[in-house]
Amino acid sequence: LSATPEIPKEDERPKWDNKFQYILSCIGFAVGLGNVWRFPYLCQIHGGGAFLVPYFIALLFEGIPLLHLELALGQCLRKGSIGAWNTISPYLGGVGVGSWVVSVLVSLYYNTVLTWVMWYFINSFQEPLPWSVCPLNENRTGFNKECYESTAVNYFWYRKTLNITPDITESGTLQWWLILCLAACWAIVYLCTIRGIETTGKAIYVTAIFPYLVLTIFLIQGLTLPGATDGLAYLFTPNLNTLKNPRVWLDAATQIFFSLSLAFGGLIAFSSYNPPKNDCEKDAVTVAIVNSMTSLYASIPVFSVLGFKATTAYWDCLDRNIISIINEFDLPEESIMRDNYTSWISLLNLSHPEKIAGLKLKSCDLQEFLDQSVSGTGLAFIVFTQAIILMPGSQAWAILFFIMLFCLGLSSMFGNIEGVFTPLLELQIVSKSAPKELLSGIICLISFFIALCFTLGSGSYWIDIFDRYAGSVPLLVVAFFEVIGVVYIYKIKRFSKDVKQMTGRKLNLYWQITWRFISPLLLLIVFMAFITLQMQKPPSYTAWNPKYEGFPMKEEKVYPPWVQAICVLLAALPCVCVPLVALFHLIKKCRSKDPSIAPPEIFSCQGANS
Amino acid sequence: MLRALLLTLSVVAIAHAELCKPDAQNAFKVRISIKTALGDNAYAWDANEEYLFKAMVAFAMRRYSSKSTTQISNVLLCNVTDRVSFWFVVTDSSKNVTTIPGSEVEAAIRMNRNRINNAFLLSDKTLQFLKITSTLSPPVEPSTPAWLIVFGVVLCLIVVGIVFLVVSGIQKRKKKNKESTESENLEEKVEVTVTLENGIPCEVLDLKSGHVNGVFAADDERFTSL
């Protein structure tokens, strides 16, 4: 026997270096590409400033409560999503598994979007920018036909970047340039997440703060551009009539929900590395408000630039008409300017109506150009790149813009990867003695190989499918079960005690009401509305088909049955984990019939820290 | 004499009018946009500029056919408008009152387009020959695409970063292993000095838990002394 004194076991769980790192990581996870290319679009189509009303209501009753719930859960139980839900109740373990599956699916396609950003970034170092000019055709008599009929920007995106096939069933070949960029992106993700939060905590200082700098620069530049004020007025002019449309409320609720990156398990993972006595209530409110403010702040430069682009397009339209008139009537140059265009047109219409009609002049309307609203990849890679060509010093603006998009996406990727990494680390898939670097390396390598299928010709169609089906409905289901699980199975009284121990304050009425009734109800309503809207028409997509007669308009096509089956599978797979795991545990309990197996241990935060 | 001169002049004028008119055979329309090209430095289009134009066309014809028969007077301009657009035609000095075929003129202009543009400080777009298409210059393609170079730089940085982190991780782990083996050795040395008595360390026995057996605690008088 030895009388060695007992050495107390050190808490081996990694920790954040400081509170700021943790807050920044949560903000970085929440603030992503959607804040730049989805929120301004929603503002625009849903009546400008009026959209802020449903947005802030959704933030208050859905966003902040759910965020607080997740952060408190992770901090209390100090485990990743799978471990945390297993601890609350083995029957609820499926919730953790479901959010883990969603994180995996989203990580796969999200990094491919970053691949596209990186491809544009490395192409921004040329003069002239490759998306500003059309290439020549074979015998050099004119421009490439596909490019000429659409625009140079469209051509660069659909042909030179994606090399898109006209149909989702035609897979095309692997695009080697995208494979290179994909490898680089996964290497960057590996570099930053190699040791979990030790390394992401350092990287987040850059990736979370840099986008704000660039947004400010774009804000200053954007406001000096001609036509910026038109764009901003168009964006923010409230049209309160749109509030009568339930679609607006649904979009606000879904935007808040997806924008805060809830139900991925990443937030639970982040807060699990916190010290137990940390004010998670204040953190939740801070992160949610910063996320919404960022969306608003980002929409200002976006709309200044869009207003500038609309104005330039309007001026181009006018100039083309003026040139036709001058050439037809042999008038001296600069006799018709943009301001006296309308008076000249009316004059010429009276004197020579047949000639004017023969010219087939396009009607130029600024409103029409402003109305062309785009969101998502179209906004970044087509509309914004076109606007950048028109700015002086386009290379610098392009480089800044794409670095900003890359940082925004990368900080969200950290959260996704953490949501995958932390539960795997706790499940001890790889033996404990093996280094963390190995596990993160394996995750990144496997993800790279699976994501190669997004570099096919039809890759972007598949990414749309993943985005629409894997990254939407399952999250609503998981979040609903999260709230129900904590409030009704773990019991909110116990949870309030835990939160009081962590924050030092009792849960006030706002949290009680939202957690118990409002948030689950809202989630249910949003889920039903979402499903109903999806069911209303057969799922379709728009394809880029140069042989289509309406080219350059995109061709509307319906998904073939096998693709529809995959869509359903993607949406159902994470959701089905919840009942499956519960069923599995039920069967295990019934089969064993061993009275010594106690019912699931009643766990509480006090127990975790004793 | 004067009458004959007047007569020939009028015949020539009429012939010229016949040869050079809008949509005449072998005639080309030219459209010039000086203000668009030069802005504030724009010059006015006057008779001197027309003379230069005729000279350039004659120069182009001479260079193309490499016979020096085309004169400035062979180039006829007509219908000059305020737009600045006009028609021109090139007559053949050897044959009377005929125009040089349009294809030859077109080829000559094409060959010397750059020289003609530069004479007027204009470009293909601002000095338009309406039926003559210009060959577009190919874009300058560097031997290695620029993006590949940038990509190489980015990838090198990433690989260096990964290698650095992995190596530092391995070193940290080796140091931790060495430290933990050292502390283990120290613990073993401490254990060896503990003496055991019947499985119980002696120090424990020194504590109060042991009892002295009163029977054997010497009551020395019971034993006879030797």
Side-chain angles (χ1 to χ4, degrees), chain A residues 271-302:
Chain A
S271 59
S272 71
Y273 296 116
N274 267 338
K277 293 240 189 282
N278 177 48
D279 194 344
C280 49
E281 184 179 337
K282 211 161 52 161
D283 297 341
V285 176
T286 311
V287 171
I289 291 187
V290 169
N291 179 51
S292 297
M293 288 300 126
T294 309
S295 294
L296 275 172
Y297 188 60
S299 51
I300 301 179
V302 166

Side-chain angles (χ1 to χ4, degrees), chain A residues 346-359:
Chain A
S346 40
L347 193 75
L348 290 170
N349 238 342
L350 291 170
S351 47
H352 304 94
E354 348 62 51
K355 263 193 174 177
I356 294 282
L359 283 176

Side-chain angles (χ1 to χ4, degrees), chain A residues 119 122-123 125-126 136 140 142 176-177 180 184 187-188 191 194-195 326-327 330-334 435 437, chain B residues 31 33-36 81-83 85 136-139 146-147 150-151 158 161-162 165-166 168-169 172-173 191:
Chain A
W119 165 252
I122 60 183
N123 269 297
F125 287 88
Q126 307 173 26
L136 303 175
R140 291 214 261 136
W176 62 271
W177 55 92
L180 286 180
I188 293 181
L191 174 69
I194 193 167
R195 278 189 228 133
I326 287 184
N327 287 346
D330 281 322
L331 300 165
E333 277 182 288
E334 294 186 2
E437 288 91 331
Chain B
R31 194 183 288 146
S33 318
I34 309 176
K35 286 207 191 122
T36 316
T81 64
D82 281 336
R83 169 69 180 86
S85 67
L136 302 155
S137 57
W147 68 265
V150 180
F151 177 75
I158 300 170
I162 292 179
L165 281 177
V166 169
S168 71
K172 221 194 293 186
R173 204 163 300 110
E191 280 179 23

